[in-house]
Amino acid sequence: MTTTNPISTSDTELTFRGHKRLRLVVTGFALGFAVLVGKLGWLTLVEGRQVSQTAQFDAKVRIPRPDITDRHGNVLATDIPVSSLYADPAKMIDVDEAVELLTGALPELNAQALRRKLDKRKRRFVWIKREVSPGQRELIHNMGIPGVGFRSETRRIYPMGKLASHVLGSVDVDSHGIAGLEKFLDDQGALYTASLAETERAASMPAQTSIDVRVQHAVTDELRKSIAKFSAKAAAGIVLRSDTGEVLSLVSLPDYSPNNPKDALKNENVNRVTAGVFELGSIIKAVTFAMAIDAGTATLNSRYDARYPLVIGRARINDFHAKRRILSVPEIFMFSSNIGTGKMALDVGLEGHQAFLRKMGFFDRLTTELPEAAKPLLPKKWGKLVTVTASFGHGFAVQPLQGATVAAALLNGGRLIPPTLLRRDAETAEALAQQVIKPSTSADMRYLFKLNVDEGTAGKAGVPGFRVGGKTGTAEKVINGRYSKNHRLNSFVGAFPMDDPKFVVLIMLDEPKPLPETHGYATSGWNAVPTAGKIIARIAPLLGVMPKFDETSSEKLKKYKTRVLKERKKADTQASLAGAGQ
Amino acid sequence: MLRLLNVILVVGVLASGFGLYTLEHRTRSVEREIARVDAGIESEYEFIGLLNAEWSMLTRPQRLEQLARNHLDLGPVLPDQLVELNGLADKLPAAPAHEPDKTPASDDPMADLLRMMQ
C-alpha cells in the first residue's frame, strides 16, 4: 500500500494524510521550542544574576608580577594574596545582626557607618574592609553571615623594608611599576613580566637581581653611621663585581621604604648612584694614569716637575698637598698631585684624552636596568685647560656607577663590562666585555692602588690581610657657580683583593663636616676612606675572600685589632648608655 | 524486517544517548574535581608565597643584626679569625689534659646532685 503512485490516490485521502503529518510536525516543533524557551527562561531569570555578578568581580584582571629576589634567592619583593570583605545588601536578611557580628570580628569598623552602608537595599555591592587578615577572614567566614563575601586581591610587599629600595623601585596601587626594577619589568612588556610569573606557579621564575642582601645591609649600615658621625647630607655606595659587572650592592642615602611608594618621589630620596651626576674629583686621576701608561707617554718610573703651579692662560693649577719638588708617577698618585696629573694628560694630548674618555664611556649616558639614568655633564668646548681639569676630575660630571665601572675595568685586566643589576653569568659578561687598556697597564694600576692604601692617602681603607687598594677623591662642590672650599663631595674607589681584584667598592659622602678627632680636616682620607675600610672589613669575609698574611703584616694587624676593638667598646658603651637613658 | 531495524535503531539511539549523558556527567564531575584540586594547589602556592615573604621579613639583615646585638656576645669577624681548613691545625688550642672526676661517683646520682647544690 505504501508504494502506491500518489497520482492514482484520491485528493481527499491526500489532504487527510497531509493534515495528520502536519499536526505531528507542529506538535513536535512546539514541544521542542517549549523546552528551549523554558531553558532560556531558566538561564536568564534564575541563573543569570549569578553569572553577571561573578563576571563583575573578575573584570579587573591583573598582570601577575614576578617575585624579585637577591642573588641567593632571598625574597625582596613579592605579591601576597589579601582578602577584601564586601557585602551585597540586597541579599542581607538581618542587617542588625550582621553589623553586630562584623564589628565583633573587626573592632576597627564603625558600627553606624556600616549600618548606613548595609541599609542601602538597592545597592548590590559595597566594600566593608579592604585587606582583611587571614585570621579575621577565617573568623568571618565561619560566622556564615548571608550576603557577605570575600574577594581576593594581591598586594605588592617588600619584606626587607628599606633595604635596596633604590634598586627595587616601587609600584602604584594598580601594581604598575613606577620606579627602579619594578618599572624595568613593566617596560619589558606585559608578556615578559607574565612569562616570569606564570599563573601556573610551578613554572614561575623570579626576577633574580645581582644584589647580595648581606652586602647591601653592611654598606647601608656603615654609610648610615658615617652620615650620623660626620653630619653629612647624603651618601652613596656601590659594590661591583669586576669580573661580571654585577652590582652586589647599590646604596643611596637617604632612602625610603618601597612599601610606602609616595616617599620614592621625594627629591632628597633620589637614587644618587645612577640618577645623579657628580664631579668625581681625584678618583678620576686613576683614569688619567691608565691613559698615560697605556699610551706609553708615561711609565711608573717617569718623573714630573711639580715645583711650580701649572699655568694655562690665566688659570693656575695648584696642589692641595703641595710638595714643591719633582715627583715620580707613584708619588703623583699617592700625593694626588693636580700639577703632575695635568702634565700627564697634556703629554697624551687633547685628542687622545677625549678619545680615551669616550672609549671609557664617560661621554655617554650609562644605561642599566634602572630607568633612572642621568646623562653626563660635559664641557662644551674642549681646550687645554679643560684637559688639565678633566684629568683630575673637575669640569665633567658622571654617574657614580660609571666611575665604579671604569675603575673595575682599570683593575680587572682592562676589560670594560657594562654593569647590571640582574644576575649574569661569566660567559655573558665575557661576550659583553671590551678590552680598553692593555693587561700590563692594568697591572700597573693595581700596583698604584695598592701602594696608595699601604703608604698613601687611602691608608685608613686598609684591612690587614684583605689586600685593599684604592684612590681617594675630594671634590669641592659648586655652590652658586663657584667652587666652595667648605662644601665637599668626598669619595673613595677601591678594590680587593689586589692580587686579583674581584670586588670594586665606591663610596661617596656629601658634605661631611670636620670633627675634633679628624683634627679639623674634612677631606676624603678622614671620612670616606675609613668608611670604606669598615665596609670592606665587613663584606670581605661574606664574599669569601680569604685573608693572607706575611711577616710585615703582623704589626699592622695588631694595630688594626686594637683600633677596631676600641671602637667596638666605645660603640657598646654608647649603645648601653642610650639604652639606659630610654 | 524493517520494524526490527527500527527497534534496533531506537534502542541504539536510547543507549547511545544514555551513554553520552553518563559520560558527560562523569566528565563534569572530573572537571569539578580538577577545579577543586587546582584551587587547592593555587591556595597552597599562595600560602607558600606568604610563608616565603614572612621568612624573608624575619631574616632581613637589619633584624638579624639587632637580634645578634641583643642576644649574642659576638662581634663582626676580624681578619685573623678567618682560617682555611688546611691551616686549621696551627690555630687550634692545645687539647686540654683529661682530668678524671675528683669526686668518686656514688651509686646515687640524685644524692650527688643534692650535695653539689648545698
Side-chain angles (χ1 to χ4, degrees), chain A residues 75 160 201 217 464 547 561 568, chain B residues 42 56 61-62 65 76 79-80:
Chain A
V75 177
M160 299 243 177
R201 297 289 183 98
H217 170 65
K561 272 175 74 174
R568 249 180 231 178
Chain B
E42 187 62 25
S56 174
Q62 303 97 301
E65 186 181 341
D80 61 340

Side-chain angles (χ1 to χ4, degrees), chain A residues 545-557:
Chain A
V545 178
M546 285 306 292
K548 278 185 198 158
F549 298 105
D550 50 29
E551 308 79 57
T552 57
S553 53
S554 70
E555 192 59 33
K556 272 190 174 175
L557 179 70

Side-chain angles (χ1 to χ4, degrees), chain B residues 30-88:
Chain B
V30 169
E31 270 174 359
R32 268 199 299 276
E33 181 68 15
I34 290 172
R36 201 180 58 77
V37 171
D38 273 351
I41 291 171
E42 187 62 25
S43 82
E44 286 299 318
Y45 272 122
E46 275 183 358
F47 196 55
I48 291 170
L50 209 62
L51 290 176
N52 274 337
E54 192 178 348
W55 173 254
S56 174
M57 199 178 77
L58 292 175
T59 57
R60 63 187 190 277
Q62 303 97 301
R63 181 171 178 272
L64 291 185
E65 186 181 341
Q66 201 55 47
L67 289 176
R69 220 177 268 288
N70 293 346
H71 300 290
L72 296 176
D73 200 17
L74 299 173
V77 181
L78 289 169
D80 61 340
Q81 288 173 320
L82 284 168
V83 180
E84 268 177 62
L85 209 53
N86 292 336
L88 198 60

Side-chain angles (χ1 to χ4, degrees), chain A residues 1-6 8-9 13 17 21, chain B residues 2:
Chain A
M1 160 211 153
T2 46
T3 54
T4 44
N5 190 345
S8 71
T9 50
E13 201 184 352
R17 204 188 284 161
R21 280 187 182 169
Chain B
L2 206 65

Side-chain angles (χ1 to χ4, degrees), chain A residues 386-419:
Chain A
V386 172
T387 270
V388 171
T389 56
S391 78
F392 50 83
H394 279 238
F396 78 107
V398 293
Q399 297 172 26
L401 187 57
Q402 271 176 301
T405 308
V406 169
L410 298 184
L411 298 169
N412 71 359
R415 289 172 308 128
L416 186 69
I417 305 168

Side-chain angles (χ1 to χ4, degrees), chain A residues 171-194:
Chain A
V171 295
D172 62 10
V173 279
D174 295 320
S175 274
H176 292 303
I178 51 172
L181 279 181
E182 295 279 22
K183 185 158 194 296
F184 166 76
L185 288 174
D186 278 359
D187 291 346
Q188 298 303 295
L191 266 178
Y192 174 81
T193 316

